Amino acid sequence: MQTTDSGKPTPELIATCWTSAGNAAPLGATERSPLPIAERIAAVADTGWAGIGLVHDDLLAARDTIGYEELGRQIRGAGINIIEVEFINGWWSTGAERKTADKVQAELFEAATLLGARHIKVGAGNADEPLPNALMTSAFSDLADEAADAGIRLALEATPFSNLRTTAEAIQVVTASDSPSAGLMIDIWHTAKSGLSHEELWQITPMDRVFAVEIDDGFHKTDGTLFEDTINNRAYCGHGEFATSTFVRLAIEAGYQGPWGVEIISREHRATPLHEGLRRAFDTAIASFPG
């Protein structure tokens, strides 16, 4: 663990994909960042991050230009030691949707393997009416078995607009699998918006299954739909109403020792110059840690 100039311990922070993506957002016409990948890597390294996240569209662009070997060389050559890739979705689907989902899954498995990624983030879609938990449980168990065969870890994220709307549901799905690849992604925005208190969250969560944790901040009042709110109105840590510092303290007390993704998705952040946005995201995240 490094220290800041003030001597305060610095946790390992991952600049998740949207934090360094510039003017790009989930489910846009393209999710590919308009910024050159080399510029993003340099900026992430310059502003103190231990890890970088990349989304599927960015990964394919890199694969088809410089290749994964060179991408990995650039990332680790910059002193960034953690790589996160995303986003597997549709793993419960059938027909044409499943065919598309399987293609994305195979491409992300390839990227994660060749880059030595720490984990792949896994979503549960967007759904007006959630699918039965039993269906999701069976499908995720199959996915986790495939990941284990490939030596890949999966971090499943519950979101309040998806087929898995609560952390409790994601816990049920993950713990039903005995695969070593089946894990949880815990994101403060989604847990807070689902109405789960930080205290209850870390009481119900099996810490041995927590593969990744993400921090940011937000507001209890929802502007537009939940999905619109999550991609437009997240706040920097400590600049909203979710008590990020309490979330972090309780996670540490519960036993979490891994890296921390910082996922800032907002109109404000997308309009902020790359270095400035990364520095603000890093500094506000660090300020949320005890020390």
Side-chain angles (χ1 to χ4, degrees):
M1 183 175 289
Q2 299 175 335
T3 58
T4 62
D5 293 340
S6 65
K8 183 177 180 178
T10 304
E12 291 185 311
L13 300 184
I14 302 171
T16 62
C17 68
W18 307 113
T19 302
S20 75
N23 191 20
L27 297 187
T30 175
E31 293 187 339
R32 181 179 175 181
S33 170
L35 302 172
I37 188 61
E39 180 181 345
R40 292 173 67 187
I41 292 168
V44 168
D46 289 346
T47 48
W49 302 84
I52 188 170
L54 294 170
V55 76
H56 177 244
D57 284 353
D58 287 328
L59 290 163
L60 292 192
R63 180 198 67 184
D64 295 342
T65 52
I66 60 174
Y68 287 139
E69 181 177 356
E70 174 62 15
L71 176 61
R73 188 195 68 77
Q74 289 186 19
I75 291 172
R76 292 194 165 85
I80 300 168
N81 297 317
I82 303 170
I83 299 174
E84 171 186 81
V85 304
E86 63 177 89
F87 205 61
I88 293 178
N89 236 322
W91 36 273
W92 59 87
S93 59
T94 59
E97 182 182 350
R98 181 56 178 268
K99 184 176 181 180
T100 299
D102 284 347
K103 181 176 184 294
V104 172
Q105 175 190 319
E107 290 167 346
L108 288 176
F109 273 29
E110 176 190 37
T113 299
L114 294 178
L115 291 172
R118 183 181 186 274
H119 57 261
I120 301 178
K121 291 174 64 174
V122 179
N126 289 3
D128 293 332
E129 293 293 334
L131 292 168
N133 193 268
L135 186 155
M136 300 296 287
T137 297
S138 175
F140 185 76
S141 181
D142 291 342
L143 176 64
D145 287 344
E146 292 181 51
D149 289 342
I152 291 167
R153 302 203 321 165
L154 305 177
L156 175 64
E157 183 174 46
T159 58
F161 41 79
S162 74
N163 287 299
L164 296 173
R165 300 196 171 190
T166 68
T167 301
E169 291 171 344
I171 290 170
Q172 290 173 2
V173 168
V174 166
T175 56
S177 169
D178 60 4
S179 169
S181 292
L184 293 161
M185 163 70 74
I186 304 293
D187 182 332
I188 184 177
W189 197 95
H190 300 303
T191 61
K193 293 295 267 192
S194 72
L196 187 64
S197 73
H198 301 334
E199 290 79 7
E200 184 180 0
L201 165 66
W202 295 114
Q203 288 169 3
I204 69 170
T205 301
M207 299 307 296
D208 62 328
R209 291 299 189 105
V210 179
F211 286 0
V213 173
E214 289 183 340
I215 54 175
D216 44 70
D217 212 331
F219 304 93
H220 296 297
K221 181 180 178 181
T222 298
D223 185 358
T225 66
L226 277 166
F227 183 75
E228 290 167 344
D229 202 44
T230 200
I231 67 170
N232 292 323
N233 300 310
R234 296 198 192 197
Y236 295 103
C237 296
H239 288 239
E241 300 171 345
F242 292 168
T244 309
S245 59
T246 300
F247 176 94
V248 168
R249 176 178 58 80
L250 292 174
I252 294 170
E253 290 176 0
Y256 183 68
Q257 298 180 349
W260 305 76
V262 181
E263 188 170 56
I264 309 300
I265 317 175
S266 69
R267 293 189 186 96
E268 176 189 6
H269 188 69
R270 289 193 287 274
T272 302
L274 178 61
H275 272 80
E276 180 183 343
L278 281 167
R279 173 56 63 190
R280 187 181 304 170
F282 184 90
D283 288 347
T284 53
I286 288 296
S288 299
F289 284 80

